[in-house]
Structure formats: structure tokens, C-alpha cells
Amino acid sequence: MKAILCTRFGGPDDLVLADIAEPVPGAGEAVVRIEAVGLNFYDTLIIAGRYQRKPPFPFSPGGEFAGVVERVGAGVSDFAQGDRVIGYITYGAARQRIAVETRKLVKLTADLGLTRAAGLTVTYGTAYLALIERAQLKRGETLAVLGASGGVGLATVELGKLLGARVIACTSTDDKLAFARAHGADVTINYTREDLRDALKREGGDHGIDVIFDPVGGPHSEAALRAIAWKGRHLVVGFAAGEIPKLPLNLTLLKGCDVLGVYFGDWVRREPDRYRACMAELTRWAGDGKLSCHVHRVYPLAATAQALKALTGREVMGKVIVTP
Ligand SMILES: NC(=O)c1ccc[n+]([C@@H]2O[C@H](COP(=O)([O-])OP(=O)(O)OC[C@H]3O[C@@H](n4cnc5c(N)ncnc54)[C@H](OP(=O)(O)O)[C@@H]3O)[C@@H](O)[C@H]2O)c1
């Protein structure tokens, strides 16, 4: 079977398409035929050796997938051949089949195609962890989302609306702003044209911004924090801009605010019951059409490098999906 392999740290063009042995399910595992893989920005970091986890070589990128169970190993009673599933494994999915512990699978009973389902877990899961578990976003609060048309950004715009927030989408181009608005954003800010702090202060009024979702980092983080409300929550999600900012702590004192870390991968490992509850809710909302799971473009497995370059090139709105 075919797999995309990372055999040394490097860029997307260093990945190789290889023939590897078919997997065999061990005890507690299922072999899943992968129909679609969701790529995320962190895939570009993991293949470069710049992610917090450094897998042993060779490994496949692709942390989330959707597919169909083909075989189950000893002791597996909760999954059977033919089940439609989605899975989250951090890395390893960019291949045609995988043997995976069934505790990492979620049965897909909702009316949701596998291509869209493949990109649900990391983006909406991170949005759920950030808004519901960490920030405890309340109906009527103002939520500013940076990088609002990207994977986690778009998911947060949609989930924020679903939870009853007033959503301010902040992004770098007018096309991306229009896209965020079409997905529910109430207000938009183009942060390449306008000073982000001034624009957020204007939109937040005297009260300020209750919750800031920040997957971008760089200079945008401090600019946004300066517009936060009393008792606001600044969610630290990622650093797509490349620079990990240092925030002046006096701002947290003056604003009486919280800076909250959001780490989806560790949350899944540390709080599996909460993760399962989250996925049950997200798959239901997606099946009911309340979350778009928008697919920017689908690439064949052999074009995984192009899909990753679209992410680093800041082109993607929603998700890029690879079909093995
Ligand atoms: N903490 C967690 O658990 C968690 C979970 C998932 C993702 N993340 C992190 O969140 C960030 C976004 O992930 P994603 O998968 O949503 O990525 P994505 O789809 O590529 O979106 C990233 C967004 O960041 C903005 N951006 C600003 N400067 C950029 C640059 N130099 N290169 C690329 N994008 C840039 C872009 O929006 P504009 O053009 O509008 O600025 C882009 O849409 C990443 O840092 C990722 O590692 C963290």
C-alpha cells in the first residue's frame, strides 16, 4: 500500500511516496481503510522537527482521518467491519490503511461525508476546548478570532456563533474577511490594513473584548490583549506567524484578565472522557449542518507536499484534505 513518509526533518518536498507493508490489527486495534486525511498547520512543523513532539523516522504526517473499519484485532467488541469512523492520532495518517487502537476512534453515525468528517476533530475540537472548557464563553459575550478563515479560526467563528457570542473575525485579506462573514462573523477586521488594537478597541467599546482566540501570535497577540475586557480571557492557541510573543504581564494586572493556554493533543490524552463528550457533540452539530467542516481543496496522496505548501503559503480557507 502507499504511504507518504517523512524520513528526515525538512520541508514538504522532502516527503516521499513509498510502498509499505499492509498493517495487521494487534489486540485492541482496528485496521481502518483511510478515505480522507485532514492536514493541519502543525503537520508543517512536525515534518520540519519544529513541533513539540518529534516522532521516530520514518513516519507519515496527518493527525486526523476518516475511513471505514476493515478488520478488528483480539478483544475488540465495540467496533466492527464496515463501521464509518474518524480518528485522531497526532501523526501517521497519510497512508492508505492504518492499524489503530480503537480508543482513538469515534464512530461516525451522523449524516456527514467522510471528506468533511476528516477535518472535524482537530479544528473544532480545539475550538471546543478553547471556548467551552477554557474560556467558558457565555452567550452575548464578544469573541475576537485571529486568523479567522484558517482551520482553527473558522471552526472558532462557527462555534462562537453557535454558542451565542458576537464574533469579530480578524484576518489578512478582504477575501478571507468575506469568507468569515459568510460563515457567521458579525464584524470583520483586516489586520494588514488597520491597526488591530485600535480596531478591536473600537469594536469592543468601553467594555472591551471578552474572549480573544489567538492561533497567530507575533505582534497581533499584544495588540489584541490591549483591547481585552475586564476579566477577559486571552486564549493562547498557536503561533502561525512564526514568532512566539512575550506579553507584558502588567497588562494582565491592569485588565484583571486571564491568559489561558490551549493544548488540544494533551487534553485528549489527559481528559479522554471530556474529549469523547466533545466529539459526540461536534459530530452531532456537524451532522445537523450547524458546523460547515468547510473543505478548501482535496489533494491526492501523492500531492501531500502541495497541500502542506498551501498551508504555509497562507492560502487555505477552512481545511485541506488528502485522499489516499
Ligand atoms: N494549541 C492547540 O491545541 C492547537 C490546535 C490546532 C492548531 N494549533 C495552532 O494554531 C495555528 C493555526 O493552525 P491551523 O491548522 O488552523 O492553520 P491554518 O489553517 O494555516 O491557519 C493559520 C492562519 O494563521 C494566519 N497566519 C498569519 N501568519 C501566517 C504565516 N506566516 N503562515 C501561515 N499562516 C499565517 C493565516 O491567517 P491570515 O492570513 O488571516 O493572517 C492563516 O489562515 C497553528 O500555529 C497551529 O499549530 C494549535
Side-chain angles (χ1 to χ4, degrees):
M1 67 169 198
K2 300 283 183 205
I4 288 288
L5 296 181
C6 178
T7 57
R8 60 190 164 101
F9 290 132
D13 287 331
D14 295 310
L15 295 170
V16 290
L17 180 65
D19 285 302
I20 61 167
E22 293 278 348
V24 176
E29 291 183 343
V31 165
V32 177
R33 186 181 72 245
I34 295 180
E35 297 287 339
V37 182
L39 293 182
N40 291 281
F41 189 86
Y42 79 77
D43 287 301
T44 70
L45 303 176
I46 211 164
I47 63 166
R50 290 173 47 222
Y51 190 62
Q52 47 260 40
R53 288 187 66 187
K54 295 185 178 48
F57 299 120
F59 68 91
S60 298
E64 57 182 340
F65 62 87
V68 178
V69 172
E70 284 194 336
R71 297 164 67 187
V72 295
V76 173
S77 54
D78 45 349
F79 287 87
Q81 189 184 16
D83 282 346
R84 297 164 79 242
V85 291
I86 54 177
Y88 170 62
I89 53 171
T90 311
Y91 61 87
R95 51 183 60 198
Q96 291 179 313
R97 284 183 186 72
I98 192 166
V100 58
E101 293 166 273
T102 55
R103 67 184 175 85
K104 295 185 175 171
L105 297 175
V106 171
K107 226 178 268 188
L108 195 61
T109 48
D111 181 16
L112 186 63
L114 291 177
T115 306
R116 285 170 62 223
L120 176 80
T121 305
V122 174
T123 50
Y124 290 95
T126 301
Y128 186 105
L129 167 62
L131 298 186
I132 296 178
E133 302 272 323
R134 301 295 279 134
Q136 298 180 7
L137 180 74
K138 293 178 210 57
R139 184 165 287 279
E141 285 192 316
T142 298
L143 164 69
V145 182
L146 311 190
S149 69
V152 291
L154 181 70
T156 304
V157 167
E158 292 182 2
L159 188 61
K161 280 310 291 176
L162 197 57
L163 296 172
R166 173 176 171 256
V167 176
I168 304 175
C170 309
T171 175
S172 65
T173 71
D174 288 346
D175 283 353
K176 290 181 174 183
L177 293 179
F179 177 76
R181 203 179 270 278
H183 285 265
D186 299 286
V187 179
T188 53
I189 294 172
N190 181 330
Y191 48 48
T192 48
R193 243 195 351 246
E194 258 195 289
D195 181 85
L196 181 61
R197 183 192 72 155
D198 293 349
L200 284 175
K201 281 196 173 227
R202 181 186 69 232
E203 296 301 338
D206 290 341
H207 177 79
I209 307 293
D210 294 299
V211 176
I212 296 163
F213 181 90
D214 181 3
V216 177
H220 293 327
S221 300
E222 183 176 333
L225 184 61
R226 286 187 179 277
I228 205 165
W230 178 248
K231 292 191 178 171
R233 288 86 81 205
H234 186 123
L235 295 156
V236 178
V237 180
F239 315 103
E243 179 206 331
I244 299 176
K246 292 183 171 48
L247 296 174
L249 278 183
N250 65 316
L251 290 179
T252 64
L253 180 156
L254 295 170
K255 307 279 185 179
C257 70
D258 295 331
V259 176
L260 300 170
V262 177
Y263 185 5
F264 177 72
D266 244 33
W267 178 63
V268 172
R269 278 185 284 278
R270 289 171 186 271
E271 300 183 43
D273 294 344
R274 292 300 309 140
Y275 167 63
R276 293 219 154 256
C278 153
M279 290 312 297
E281 222 156 15
L282 290 178
T283 49
R284 195 176 61 248
W285 284 333
D288 291 348
K290 293 177 176 165
L291 305 172
S292 74
C293 303
H294 178 86
V295 174
H296 176 79
R297 188 164 164 195
V298 179
Y299 293 82
L301 187 66
T304 299
Q306 280 69 47
L308 292 170
K309 284 185 206 169
L311 286 166
T312 51
R314 218 166 160 173
E315 295 165 23
V316 176
M317 292 194 258
K319 292 291 299 188
V320 281
I321 302 291
V322 161
T323 50

